[in-house]
Amino acid sequence: MHDTRLYIFKAVADRKSFSLAAQDLFLTQSAVSQYIGSLESSYGLKLFDRMHRKISLTAAGEKLYHYAVEIEHLYQEAEKAMRSLSETVSGRLHIGASLTTGEYLLPEILAKFNRLYPSVDISMDIYNTEQIMRMVLDGQLDAGFIEGAVELPASLEGQVCGGDELVIIAPATNDLFRECTTLEKMLNQRWILRESSSGTRTSFEAFLHRYNHDPSTLNIGMELGSTQAIKEAVKAGLGIAPISSLAVADEIQRGEFQVLPLTEGPITRNFILLTNRDKFKTYTTEMFLEFVLSV
């Protein structure tokens, strides 16, 4: 029989916080504390040290955590086996995506997947590439979607699942570079860039390096944390910016931006599907991954 207390204990240990575990489990913090207290009373051992508003596992807690992980995996294996026999794809799927993939790649994919498997409850978090990688690494997400070439830790697996092109945009009224020109001639312009941990910024800087240009020499007027903020700043005439062609397709069609063509050619990049090699994959997760890589 499944011991709910053990499940809650593992959640607290993973999140290193009673309050964050309570949020994940849709419980009150006091309820989580009561479950942990009951578990400690049953074993007659203290499982967590609570000091200076931080918690850590005791020696007993560390040992119990090892078994909690094994037990959870066994339950998941059992559920996966039963679902595969009944060919039922259902349950909860928690994914994460960087801004470009989350806003422009995934909505259509998720809609198609949902039509095939309406019993799957999907939630999606959108952060920058670095944060999504960290969340997949920590086991908070079943899968993550990022853009650009990044160095992955050994425990993360990345598979290409599409791609896009970065374009350099300027206000439609800008007369500087109506014709195709070199990247070098653009470098002294005022640039508006995403934050350094974003996939768009990383891909653009990799392109600069490819043609022997140092990103640190760019005249960076602004660093902004969202695609929409970049677009608004360019519209206001505050500078030029590299941005996903998917994000500005409508504005370009309406004549709100002009694309500044480069003699070096297009700035292309891949979208990457991330999974944690060490995290158990439910039958539903495996079906989702298979679906994403097939569309």
Side-chain angles (χ1 to χ4, degrees):
M1 183 179 292
H2 183 58
D3 190 338
T4 302
R5 300 175 304 172
L6 205 56
Y7 177 72
I8 293 172
F9 161 77
K10 182 180 178 297
V12 174
D14 287 339
R15 296 291 265 160
K16 298 180 176 61
S17 166
F18 280 74
S19 60
L20 292 178
Q23 291 175 23
D24 292 345
L25 299 170
F26 302 101
L27 294 171
T28 65
Q29 186 171 337
S30 62
V32 170
S33 296
Q34 288 174 9
Y35 277 113
I36 298 301
S38 172
L39 197 60
E40 289 179 326
S41 296
S42 294
Y43 293 126
L45 293 167
K46 191 176 181 181
L47 301 174
F48 291 102
D49 280 326
R50 304 164 178 84
M51 297 178 63
H52 307 298
R53 297 185 179 179
K54 294 183 179 180
I55 68 167
S56 60
L57 289 169
T58 63
E62 291 280 1
K63 183 161 289 190
L64 182 62
Y65 181 80
H66 170 75
Y67 290 107
V69 170
E70 286 195 8
I71 290 169
E72 183 178 60
H73 280 181
L74 285 172
Y75 274 110
Q76 290 171 336
E77 286 283 4
E79 180 182 358
K80 180 178 175 180
M82 295 302 102
R83 288 192 187 281
S84 63
L85 288 173
S86 65
E87 297 185 345
T88 299
V89 180
S90 61
R92 182 174 172 80
L93 186 65
H94 189 186
I95 65 175
S98 58
L99 286 170
T100 301
T101 56
E103 293 178 354
Y104 301 101
L105 171 71
L106 286 175
E108 184 177 354
I109 290 176
L110 295 181
K112 289 179 179 178
F113 186 78
N114 185 251
R115 285 195 290 270
L116 282 175
Y117 306 109
S119 297
V120 178
D121 178 19
I122 304 175
S123 63
M124 179 169 69
D125 292 332
I126 297 182
Y127 296 103
N128 66 33
T129 290
E130 184 179 282
Q131 290 169 302
I132 293 301
M133 285 180 59
R134 189 181 307 118
M135 292 173 75
V136 176
L137 191 61
D138 291 344
Q140 297 176 42
L141 300 173
D142 296 310
F145 295 82
I146 61 173
E147 65 250 21
V150 293
E151 187 174 346
L152 299 178
S155 59
L156 291 187
E157 180 179 12
Q159 299 178 79
V160 175
C161 60
D164 71 341
E165 177 183 335
L166 296 184
V167 293
I168 299 174
I169 59 169
T173 55
N174 189 303
D175 294 322
L176 286 173
F177 303 107
R178 292 290 181 180
E179 303 298 328
C180 192
T181 189
T182 64
L183 181 60
E184 185 174 6
K185 290 182 179 179
M186 287 189 190
L187 294 182
N188 64 346
Q189 297 300 308
R190 195 169 190 262
W191 289 84
I192 303 167
L193 300 178
R194 285 285 307 280
E195 73 280 12
S196 59
S197 55
S198 80
T200 297
R201 175 75 169 267
T202 302
S203 296
F204 180 59
E205 290 182 347
F207 185 79
L208 291 176
H209 282 300
R210 192 180 312 147
Y211 291 96
N212 300 314
H213 297 298
D214 185 353
S216 66
T217 64
L218 285 177
N219 176 21
I220 302 175
M222 304 179 76
E223 292 185 350
L224 300 172
S226 78
T227 301
Q228 188 60 39
I230 295 281
K231 292 195 285 188
E232 294 301 325
V234 173
K235 283 181 186 178
L238 299 177
I240 62 177
I243 196 169
S244 170
S245 58
L246 299 174
V248 289
D250 291 342
E251 288 90 345
I252 290 172
Q253 187 174 18
R254 293 195 298 264
E256 296 175 17
F257 294 126
Q258 63 168 305
V259 174
L260 307 182
L262 293 170
T263 56
E264 288 86 353
I267 310 172
T268 59
R269 62 177 177 176
N270 292 324
F271 293 147
I272 307 297
L273 169 59
L274 288 182
T275 53
N276 189 323
R277 300 178 193 273
D278 300 325
K279 180 177 170 63
F280 177 85
K281 295 177 181 63
T282 65
Y283 180 61
T284 295
T285 298
E286 290 189 341
M287 291 299 292
F288 175 73
L289 299 177
E290 182 180 317
F291 176 82
V292 169
L293 294 173
S294 69
V295 294

